[in-house]
Amino acid sequence: MPVKLICASHTPMMDFVPLDDTIETDVRGTFAALAEQVRAYDPELIVLFAPDHFNGFFYDLMPPFCVGLRAAAAGDWGFGTSTLDIPEATALELVRALQAADLDITYSYRMQADHGFTQPLSLLAGDVTRYPVIPIFVNGAARPLPPCRRVLKLGEEVGRFLAQRPERVLIIGSGGLSHDPPTPQFGEAPPEVEEFLISGRNPSEEARDRRQQKVIDTGRRLAAGEKGAARLLNPEWDRSLLETFVNADLERFRTMSDAEILAEGGRGGQEIRAWIAAFAALRACGAYQAQMHCYRAIDEWIVGMAMVSAEPLAAA
Ligand SMILES: O=C(O)CCc1cccc(O)c1O
Ligand SMILES: [Fe+2]
C-alpha cells in the first residue's frame, strides 16, 4: 500500500489578513508545491487528522477522537458547507478495526468539519471535495484534552489499518505549532460564552463574523507587539518539535503533558496532537523519511507555520 504524509499548520486568517512582505509568498508557494506533490501522487484516499475550534464539536458531547462516516464542512471562515466525499464503507471498517484494537472510538454520521479540516484540503487538494477522505477529529481545543499517549495509540492503530489497505493513501495532519488564538476556555468564560461552548452549533452569520473578527483583531494586536494580546509564538519549541517529527522520535510524545504544551506552545499548541496521530500512523506502516518545507513564525496570522512531508524509507 503506497502511503505519503503531509503535516501542515493551518490559519484561516491567511485569507483575511494579507501580509506585506515575502512571507506570504513563501507560505503560499510552499503550499502550492505540496499541492503539486499531491496532484502527482493522486491519492485514492486521504486520512485527515484535525482538531475543531467549537464549530463542529461542543461540550454537550465532547469525544476525544471521532471518525467521520458522513460529514460536511462547518461553514466557518469562508470554506463553505460542502459534503465531504467520505468512502463510508471504508470509514466503517476503520471504526471496526479500531474497536478490535481496544480503542473505544467515537464515530459520526453528521460530523461538521471546520477549518482544521477544510483549509488543508483546500490548500493541498485544491478543493474540500476533490479526493475521497476519512476525517478524524482529534480534540485539541476543549479541555480536558486526550493525553498525547492516547493520540499516539490512535495514530498507530489507524496506521495498522491503512497498512493492509489497497488504496494509495495520503495521511494529513493539520494544526499548530505554537500559537494562542483567543479560543474561550470553559471555566474561565462568562455564562453566555460557556453556553456557546456547550451548544453553539450552527451560529448566526453575525455571531460567526463577530467571533472571527475577534481572532483577526488579536492577530493585529499581537503583530503590533501589544502586551497581553496573546501568548507569544515560540519558534524554538516549534523547531524542536519539527526535529522530533523529522527524526521519528515519537516516543517523546508519550510523556508530553498538556501543561508543557500550553506553557511552550499556547492554547493552539495543543493542536500538535493531529501531527502526532498522523506521524504515528505513518510510522506504523514502517520507517519513514521526512522533509521540512517551511517554517515561519507569523504573528499577524497567529501561527507557527510549518509544513513537513514524509514517505516510507523503502520508497525513497
Ligand atoms: O477560529 C478560531 O477560533 C481560530 C482560528 C485560528 C487562527 C490561527 C491559528 C489557528 O490554528 C486557528 O485555528
Ligand atoms: Fe487551529
Side-chain angles (χ1 to χ4, degrees):
M1 160 228 66
V3 63
K4 176 179 172 67
L5 167 147
I6 297 177
C7 283
S9 312
H10 58 247
T11 170
M13 301 164 75
M14 257 179 98
D15 295 326
F16 290 77
V17 181
L19 304 180
D20 55 6
D21 49 30
T22 56
I23 294 173
E24 179 156 3
T25 313
D26 179 24
V27 170
R28 288 196 186 272
T30 311
F31 270 120
L34 287 168
E36 179 50 35
Q37 281 191 16
V38 172
R39 203 197 55 75
Y41 180 68
D42 194 22
E44 294 167 301
L45 175 64
I46 294 178
V47 172
L48 170 52
F49 296 97
D52 179 76
H53 312 70
F54 296 103
N55 292 300
F57 288 86
F58 291 84
Y59 277 115
D60 58 354
L61 191 72
M62 182 59 73
F65 314 117
C66 181
V67 173
L69 300 173
R70 295 180 192 168
D76 59 312
W77 291 102
F79 288 107
T81 55
S82 330
T83 299
L84 273 56
D85 178 15
I86 302 178
E88 194 173 311
T90 311
L92 203 50
E93 274 187 60
L94 169 62
V95 167
R96 293 215 163 92
L98 295 176
Q99 290 175 333
D102 281 345
L103 278 167
D104 306 312
I105 190 71
T106 299
Y107 50 87
S108 172
Y109 277 102
R110 189 155 299 167
M111 192 162 122
Q112 290 189 328
D114 83 356
H115 64 270
F117 295 88
T118 50
Q119 186 176 42
L121 288 176
S122 154
L123 287 170
L124 297 170
D127 186 87
V128 169
T129 59
R130 171 68 183 81
Y131 298 102
V133 60
I134 300 178
I136 305 180
F137 163 71
V138 178
N139 176 17
R143 294 192 295 214
L145 295 157
C148 289
R149 65 174 188 284
R150 297 299 293 166
V151 178
L152 275 175
K153 173 78 175 161
L154 171 74
E156 269 164 39
E157 294 301 342
V158 171
R160 254 181 222 133
F161 172 78
L162 294 178
Q164 46 83 46
R165 294 294 308 178
E167 293 95 344
R168 199 162 43 250
V169 177
L170 174 65
I171 300 168
I172 300 180
S174 163
L177 311 172
S178 69
H179 66 300
D180 194 47
T183 310
Q185 304 289 301
F186 202 90
E188 300 168 10
E192 66 278 12
V193 176
E194 288 198 341
E195 180 54 30
F196 163 78
L197 292 174
I198 293 171
S199 125
R201 233 169 252 106
N202 306 314
S204 69
E205 210 173 309
E206 300 72 47
R208 171 113 64 206
D209 286 350
R210 233 179 298 123
R211 216 182 135 203
Q212 294 181 179
Q213 193 56 50
K214 193 172 159 206
V215 177
I216 291 168
D217 290 343
T218 301
R220 188 176 306 131
R221 289 162 55 214
L222 182 63
E226 191 179 310
K227 263 214 154 84
R231 213 180 274 257
L232 296 178
L233 301 178
N234 187 346
E236 217 168 289
W237 187 67
D238 291 347
R239 293 214 179 259
S240 93
L241 285 179
L242 291 167
E243 205 170 294
T244 300
F245 286 120
V246 169
N247 295 336
D249 192 12
L250 303 182
E251 282 306 301
R252 176 181 176 192
F253 298 111
R254 203 166 294 284
T255 54
M256 189 174 273
S257 70
D258 291 5
E260 176 185 348
I261 297 173
L262 181 65
E264 299 283 348
R267 278 171 283 184
Q270 306 288 2
E271 293 180 352
I272 58 156
R273 283 172 172 74
W275 288 50
I276 296 171
F279 272 98
L282 181 65
R283 184 66 191 80
C285 300
Y288 66 77
Q289 68 169 26
Q291 197 190 346
M292 201 173 118
H293 294 271
C294 170
Y295 180 77
R296 298 275 194 173
I298 308 173
D299 288 336
E300 288 87 342
W301 291 352
I302 322 184
V303 74
M305 171 59 78
M307 291 152 239
V308 176
S309 66
E311 289 98 30
L313 257 184

